[in-house]
Amino acid sequence: GAGVSQSPSNKVTEKGKDVELRCDPISGHTALYWYRQSLGQGLEFLIYFQGNSAPDKSGLPSDRFSAERTGGSVSTLTIQRTQQEDSAVYLCASSPSGGALTGELFFGEGSRLTVL
Amino acid sequence: GQSLEQPSEVTAVEGAIVQMNCTYQTSGFYGLSWYQQHDGGAPTFLSYNALDGLEETGRFSSFLSRSDSYGYLLLQELQMKDSASYFCAATNQAGTALIFGKGTTLSVSS
């Protein structure tokens, strides 16, 4: 597609369950980012992938959070043993190489996670 | 650390001009970006200032002063559709990602 695609758009889960969120970046974009946005808050950086380089995981809030990117394209964010405070919108963005240095990221519509 | 401060809310009427401010503290600075986000939507890029001064794109202008660690987004001829949240963002020290402010919610009334 033309834009960043995320699935599912909505996910309701029970506390303690694992969830996987998927992101399809814009074709040709080598950089991929995950952010978390809690209600009424700004965007919190989680993780960054650039090509085949080691990801920048400095924003992951705990070891329950992990992400992978296969073949330099699709990415999956996994949250294990979900907690109620994990409820948020998880946004994926992509950019050409060095996107953060040009200030322009292309965001998807996000996956809204609700943990009951 | 890095932080960006924005007023939480601004209200204005159609046809007016509104300025939304952003002050930042960063370890290393590349430039300041602005994003618009409508309720339930994706953040969309508006502008980027790497150098001091004013950048204009249609009804939107963005300003940066590196010496003051300050920038603003100026919207002219406000329309109802401009009601949204506006975020400023700066590149993190590693140069790998953008760090965002908490955003300013703009409400435009008729």
Side-chain angles (χ1 to χ4, degrees):
Chain A
V4 176
S5 177
Q6 293 189 244
S7 62
S9 55
N10 278 286
K11 175 72 177 179
V12 180
T13 190
E14 294 179 348
K15 178 181 173 180
K17 300 282 191 183
D18 297 353
V19 296
E20 287 189 348
L21 308 176
R22 175 188 167 103
C23 173
D24 266 294
I26 293 172
S27 178
H29 281 187
T30 57
L32 187 146
Y33 315 77
W34 283 98
Y35 284 84
R36 176 169 72 175
Q37 186 174 31
S38 302
L39 188 63
Q41 297 297 307
L43 285 69
E44 176 190 5
F45 167 70
L46 297 177
I47 189 168
Y48 159 78
F49 295 92
Q50 171 58 53
N52 295 320
S53 302
D56 176 355
K57 304 180 182 180
S58 60
L60 294 179
S62 78
D63 58 9
R64 296 187 295 105
F65 288 72
S66 63
E68 62 177 20
R69 188 178 185 191
T70 53
S73 181
V74 172
S75 176
T76 302
L77 177 69
T78 301
I79 309 172
Q80 296 179 308
R81 305 180 302 281
T82 52
Q83 304 294 312
Q84 288 184 330
E85 60 262 30
D86 299 334
S87 296
V89 176
Y90 289 83
L91 291 160
C92 177
S94 69
S95 73
S97 176
L101 297 177
T102 65
E104 184 173 11
L105 307 185
F106 297 80
F107 282 87
E109 301 260 341
S111 292
R112 181 177 298 277
L113 174 66
T114 303
V115 182
L116 302 177
Chain B
Q2 294 177 282
S3 65
L4 296 98
E5 298 293 327
Q6 301 181 252
S8 58
E9 294 182 357
V10 171
T11 59
V13 296
E14 276 188 299
I17 300 172
V18 69
Q19 177 176 313
M20 288 175 281
N21 300 321
C22 173
T23 56
Y24 59 86
Q25 290 185 322
T26 63
S27 306
F29 180 77
Y30 297 89
L32 196 68
S33 300
W34 289 92
Y35 284 76
Q36 178 191 60
Q37 185 181 32
H38 287 99
D39 269 351
T44 56
F45 173 80
L46 292 175
S47 67
Y48 176 69
N49 293 65
L51 304 176
D52 284 0
L54 192 68
E55 298 276 346
E56 299 182 51
T57 307
R59 295 187 299 114
F60 292 67
S61 302
S62 56
F63 172 83
L64 176 66
S65 169
R66 285 174 167 260
S67 59
D68 296 322
S69 297
Y70 164 75
Y72 65 72
L73 182 69
L74 191 75
L75 278 66
Q76 302 182 70
E77 301 171 16
L78 280 174
Q79 303 174 10
M80 297 291 285
K81 67 178 182 180
D82 296 328
S83 293
S85 292
Y86 293 83
F87 298 90
C88 60
T91 307
N92 66 359
Q93 187 174 10
T96 55
L98 295 182
I99 305 301
F100 286 79
K102 292 188 186 295
T104 297
T105 300
L106 170 64
S107 299
V108 180
S109 59
S110 57

